[in-house]
Amino acid sequence: MKTLIVIGAGISGLVCGIYAQRSGFRTVILEKAGNPGGVSTSWKRKGYTFEGGIHWLIGAKKDVPLNDIWTETGALQDNNPVFFKDPVYTLIDGDVKLELRRDLRTLSEFAHEDRFRLAIMRFHVWCFSFFHTPVQDICGLKTRHPRKFSPIEFIKMGPAALLTPWLMSLSARNYIKRFRNVHLRRLLEAVVDPELNALSLIYTLSSFTTGDSGYPKGGSLRMAQNMADTFTALGGQIRYRTPALEIAEGGVRTADGLLESDAVVISMDARTAIDKLFTSPLQAPWATRMRRKLDTAQCMFIALGVRADLSAHPRCMQIQLDEPLHAGGIEFSALTVNNYSRDAAYAPEGCTAVTCILPGHSYEYWKSARADGSYAARKQEAVDGFVRMLAKVLPETEGKVEVSDMATPLTYERYCDTHEGSYMSEWKPWHFCCNAPIRYRKGLYFSGQRTAFSGGLPIAAETGRRTAQTLCRDFGAEFVSY
Ligand SMILES: Cc1cc2nc3c(=O)[nH]c(=O)nc-3n(C[C@H](O)[C@H](O)[C@H](O)COP(=O)(O)OP(=O)(O)OC[C@H]3O[C@@H](n4cnc5c(N)ncnc54)[C@H](O)[C@@H]3O)c2cc1C
């Protein structure tokens, strides 16, 4: 039996570990942190649960290819049924409330002046409704359950393929700019970070309209724990609080010594790994490109426990601010606020967990704040600003915030060692040339968020599976998917 070490129990490492273990490799996952899931995580504070990972799970719908990975790895089971929100976002802009529903036709009733442009956007979204994150078998694989890709499916993806270069060359902000109605523009800016390319926007909208993108009960931690349990039930071993220190001849060095293995999969951030895990920084053309060109996706995350029932308010609010909020050296004129009041397990009775992701590059800002000793004070300032803003829009929260928490890129760096504290791969216009290869050489592989575009959980899962297949092919093993 061949032995495998997977570095990282994030979603990609878990997917890879489960398939590898099932395919006959004796697999050990080394994880730096104390629990599975990596950056896809949720945590508890004084009776509140804060969801700091999954907001939209692509592949949650039963008939899309990615769903097979989520079911085969036990990520989705009876204990975490998926809920599909509708409306998906609600803009709150002074007295104006505008909903983004899964049926995009409802937008034309509000923004009559844009009905022609909205029809074009709906056409773009419709083209992508036939496009799914590909879950294919690699060439030359031995498997009992081959995945067949029918020519009809291929033809159906044609219109999306034709639109792709144009959408990739454009930012979401520039795509949205064409709409005249200011509220419509502001609502659409909630869907993805407007600096990402327009393909991310259209793809995400299409996942809403096709009834995908749900939220599994119990959120990130339940899902990651389900996967970890599947892996250990198969006989795999996870060693928590055991960082890999070095890829050595014949295995991986940890603080406990050398762990021998026939193969190693690096599923932690590859950008960090190429400089940290090798005796001397790894030299390869793609590694040089990565060092030079990689632009990281960063965010801050604010979570509040509020002693008030907010169930009269929408679940996911895009709030337009009359005064900007300053956090991490960035000025925000709008914020997307998640209201978990309808999820009973997330807060004590009559109370609500509220969260907000603030996207943008703030790593350097927080690093210098840490260096000059003002890190905690600046975090508190940002939280206070957020609390004041919330009280203006939802007056019942005034004076009722009993718990607050904030993560910065330094938090993600500390817990998961992601490069510059990034939280997923970046997919800006024309940005696609600095990935790590799945197979570096026989016995050494990469998976996860730096091995493919676009980003998020679909990429973590798909690359985890592809890496396990590559490993099976290299070692002449049969790939067993379920
Ligand atoms: C606030 C937030 C919201 C998000 N929302 C969504 C969403 O709605 N939908 C979506 O699709 N995606 C979302 N994402 C992104 C998604 O969670 C990530 O893209 C995905 O989880 C990345 O998985 P990964 O396995 O590739 O990497 P990681 O999660 O980074 O996993 C790598 C693992 O390696 C471990 N590690 C690092 N160094 C070492 C070492 N030396 N030794 C051992 N272990 C090590 C880390 O601790 C970590 O567990 C969100 C992320 C955040 C932070």
Side-chain angles (χ1 to χ4, degrees), residues 37-38 58-59 69 101 132 134 184 198 220 229 273 277 287 304 314 321 386 464 478:
I58 292 191
I69 302 188
R101 296 200 151 264
H132 301 292
L184 175 63
S220 299
D229 292 347
L277 280 191
L304 303 180
L321 311 180
F386 181 74
E478 181 190 11

Side-chain angles (χ1 to χ4, degrees), residues 361-373:
H361 285 74
S362 62
Y363 179 73
E364 292 303 331
Y365 174 94
W366 292 111
K367 232 172 100 177
S368 61
R370 164 135 321 145
D372 68 21

Side-chain angles (χ1 to χ4, degrees), residues 8 11-12 30-32 38-39 52-53 55-56 243-244 416 423 448-449 456-457:
I11 298 302
S12 197
L30 301 178
E31 171 52 53
K32 174 178 182 287
V39 298
H55 291 71
W56 305 110
C416 294
Y423 75 114
Q449 60 166 321
L457 297 163

Side-chain angles (χ1 to χ4, degrees), residues 441-462:
R441 58 169 160 77
K442 183 176 176 188
L444 184 57
Y445 309 85
F446 288 90
S447 79
Q449 60 166 321
R450 299 260 183 257
T451 53
F453 288 109
S454 54
L457 297 163
I459 289 304
E462 191 279 323

Side-chain angles (χ1 to χ4, degrees), residues 252-477:
V252 176
R253 202 170 301 285
T254 69
D256 303 327
L258 180 72
L259 270 180
E260 290 183 6
S261 72
D262 298 298
V264 177
V265 171
I266 299 173
S267 84
M268 64 181 279
D269 187 330
R271 175 65 188 87
T272 309
I274 58 174
D275 284 349
K276 269 200 177 174
L277 280 191
F278 296 85
T279 333
S280 55
L282 194 133
Q283 299 304 332
W286 61 266
T288 310
R289 231 177 4 254
M290 212 181 211
R291 286 188 187 95
R292 204 158 25 96
K293 287 205 160 176
L294 187 75
D295 188 5
T296 50
Q298 300 170 19
C299 77
M300 295 166 277
F301 177 82
I302 295 180
L304 303 180
V306 185
R307 222 176 335 103
D309 177 0
L310 302 182
S311 53
H313 298 286
R315 285 174 189 271
C316 194
M317 296 169 266
Q318 172 73 350
I319 301 177
Q320 199 63 35
L321 311 180
D322 44 13
E323 262 174 62
L325 177 85
H326 293 92
I330 306 174
E331 186 176 290
F332 293 90
S333 58
L335 294 174
T336 310
V337 174
N338 299 293
N339 162 12
Y340 289 90
S341 55
R342 291 167 188 84
D343 302 277
Y346 282 60
E349 211 183 322
C351 304
T352 305
V354 171
T355 68
C356 177
I357 299 177
L358 299 101
H361 285 74
S362 62
Y363 179 73
E364 292 303 331
Y365 174 94
W366 292 111
K367 232 172 100 177
S368 61
R370 164 135 321 145
D372 68 21
S374 63
Y375 183 73
R378 291 201 209 180
K379 261 177 58 162
Q380 194 56 51
E381 255 172 50
V383 171
D384 291 346
F386 181 74
V387 170
R388 278 196 302 276
M389 175 289 294
L390 201 64
K392 275 196 199 165
V393 187
L394 312 178
E396 56 273 62
T397 64
E398 177 141 30
K400 298 283 174 57
V401 174
E402 53 183 4
V403 183
S404 67
D405 204 357
M406 180 172 180
T408 72
L410 299 201
T411 318
Y412 297 110
E413 183 182 52
R414 180 156 47 96
Y415 281 103
C416 294
D417 222 347
T418 57
H419 183 62
E420 294 179 347
S422 79
Y423 75 114
M424 60 192 274
S425 11
E426 185 72 307
W427 210 27
K428 286 191 172 161
W430 292 124
H431 179 126
F432 48 80
C433 55
C434 40
N435 287 336
I438 291 276
R439 181 186 194 272
Y440 179 63
R441 58 169 160 77
K442 183 176 176 188
L444 184 57
Y445 309 85
F446 288 90
S447 79
Q449 60 166 321
R450 299 260 183 257
T451 53
F453 288 109
S454 54
L457 297 163
I459 289 304
E462 191 279 323
T463 61
R465 180 178 179 276
R466 196 145 40 98
T467 303
Q469 291 200 339
T470 309
L471 175 82
C472 285
R473 189 180 55 189
D474 273 0
F475 286 87

Side-chain angles (χ1 to χ4, degrees), residues 199-213:
L199 184 58
S200 319
L201 171 73
I202 299 299
Y203 181 66
T204 307
L205 286 173
S206 108
S207 80
F208 294 150
T209 58
T210 54
D212 195 3
S213 279

